[in-house]
Each structure stands twice: as structure tokens, then as C-alpha cells.
Amino acid sequence: SNNNSNNNSNNDDEGDLLFDNVVVACGAWSKHLARSAGDGAHAALDTERGYHIMFPCQAEEVLSRPVCFADTGFYISPMMHGLRTAGTVELGGLHAPANPKRLDMIDHVTRSMLSVNLPPRRKEDDWLGFRPTLPDGLPVIGRSPRSDRVVYAFGHHHIGWTLGGITGHLVAQLLDQQPTDVDVSPFRIERFNSICWSLF
């Protein structure tokens, strides 16, 4: 936000953007921005990489609704363009290439779970997603200990969409200098202040 009423632009003379506050809410990429704000040693953030594959078929003829197989943790969902299977968790960071053995394993297990003859998967549709993950299972929500102009909101693991609304509400309260509806102190970034967390 920029509350300077004397400045109609958010740019300085060099073209840099100027704001009163910044919110770091970039999921798995938030650690890099926290580091640039001086809090990188606190951000014990990694990524849970979840793999997805797609079988091109009339999905509604195979399944009428999403199904989870508890023993494997795989979710199989009928989609407009085929049947999608998602599963596995891999702590692999942002830059490592996808592991083809995981993709092949998901393909094999999907076929063994369903009693239909699935076509070959479209390998060009293989992908993995990056879930922002912290060691204690809690997100980071709150102000930076180095600058009260930086507010963090990341690390919601698998439920970012679910917790996005309340997190946005809490961030708005922090930015407005209002008491938060929920005590955010358990979510502060500096809870990872010990040396063992700085290894992440």
C-alpha cells in the first residue's frame, strides 16, 4: 500500500516501486523474498512436490466423482480432458527436475487400482506442484522481526486455498494496525530461530 497523498505515482526517480508495506505471500517461493528482507535464516521453508498424471479417456465412464485410495494416498479425479491421478510427497526444493520413476509408479498403481483398461497417459501433461511446507505444520503469518513494514503469509502446506481467506483477513488487520481475530504469535517467522532450522 502507498498512503503518501503527495505522490501520485508509486515510482521513484529510478523507476523502483515504493510502498508503505509489502506482503510476502508467494507460496513455495516465499523463502527467497524472506531472505531478501533479512529473514531467510528464519524461514525453514521447503517444498512438498506432488506429482500429477493424466490419462486421455472419457473420465466419466471410469469414475463419477473424485476418489482417494487411502492405502496409497492417491487421488483420482475425472476431468474434462481425462482422468487425473495425483499423489506422493517429495521434499525436493524448487529446482530439481521431476523424478520419472515417481510418475511411472503413479501410472502403474493407478492401473492396478482400477478395473478398466486405461490408455497410455499423456506424458506431456505430467507435472508436479510445489506445496510450501514448514517443519511444524503451521504457516508463517505475521510481521517480519526486522521490519514491521513486511508482513508474511505463506507455508500453508496442502491447504492454501482453504486458509487463504482467513489468512488474507488477518494480514489486512495487521496492515491496518488492528488487533487480529486470531492470535498470530504461534505463526511468527522467528519461531525457527534455532540453529537447526537455519539449515533449511
Side-chain angles (χ1 to χ4, degrees), residues 144-164:
S144 163
R146 297 188 181 268
S147 172
D148 63 2
R149 297 173 62 183
V150 177
V151 175
Y152 294 118
F154 62 82
H156 292 79
H157 302 258
H158 298 240
I159 53 174
W161 286 101
T162 304
L163 296 178

Side-chain angles (χ1 to χ4, degrees), residues 7 32 39 53 61 68 75 79 92 105 107 115 120-121 134 145 152 154 157 162 175-176 181:
N7 183 4
H32 303 289
D39 290 318
I53 64 173
E61 295 177 6
C68 174
Y75 286 84
M79 309 291 283
M105 182 265 297
D107 186 320
S115 59
R121 76 176 194 263
L134 293 154
Y152 294 118
F154 62 82
H157 302 258
T162 304
L175 293 174
D176 289 339
D181 292 343

Side-chain angles (χ1 to χ4, degrees), residues 28 47 60 100 156 166:
T47 57
E60 66 279 0
H156 292 79
I166 183 60

Side-chain angles (χ1 to χ4, degrees), residues 101-121:
K101 290 182 180 179
R102 280 188 179 267
L103 294 162
D104 291 342
M105 182 265 297
I106 294 171
D107 186 320
H108 173 75
V109 173
T110 301
R111 293 174 187 283
S112 70
M113 290 188 298
L114 298 175
S115 59
V116 295
N117 188 20
L118 292 171
R121 76 176 194 263

Side-chain angles (χ1 to χ4, degrees), residues 16-102:
D16 293 330
L17 296 174
L18 305 174
F19 297 95
D20 296 318
N21 297 284
V22 63
V23 176
V24 176
C26 302
W29 290 266
S30 297
K31 181 175 182 175
H32 303 289
L33 291 173
R35 185 175 290 138
S36 70
D39 290 318
H42 299 308
L45 184 69
D46 202 343
T47 57
E48 288 184 55
R49 293 153 40 117
Y51 285 76
H52 302 248
I53 64 173
M54 182 75 81
F55 298 94
C57 62
Q58 295 297 316
E60 66 279 0
E61 295 177 6
V62 180
L63 291 174
S64 61
R65 64 186 59 85
V67 174
C68 174
F69 289 86
D71 56 339
T72 63
F74 288 178
Y75 286 84
I76 304 176
S77 303
M79 309 291 283
M80 183 183 302
H81 301 293
L83 197 67
R84 184 175 83 170
T85 302
T88 78
V89 171
E90 174 185 64
L91 294 175
L94 294 170
H95 305 295
N99 182 342
K101 290 182 180 179
R102 280 188 179 267

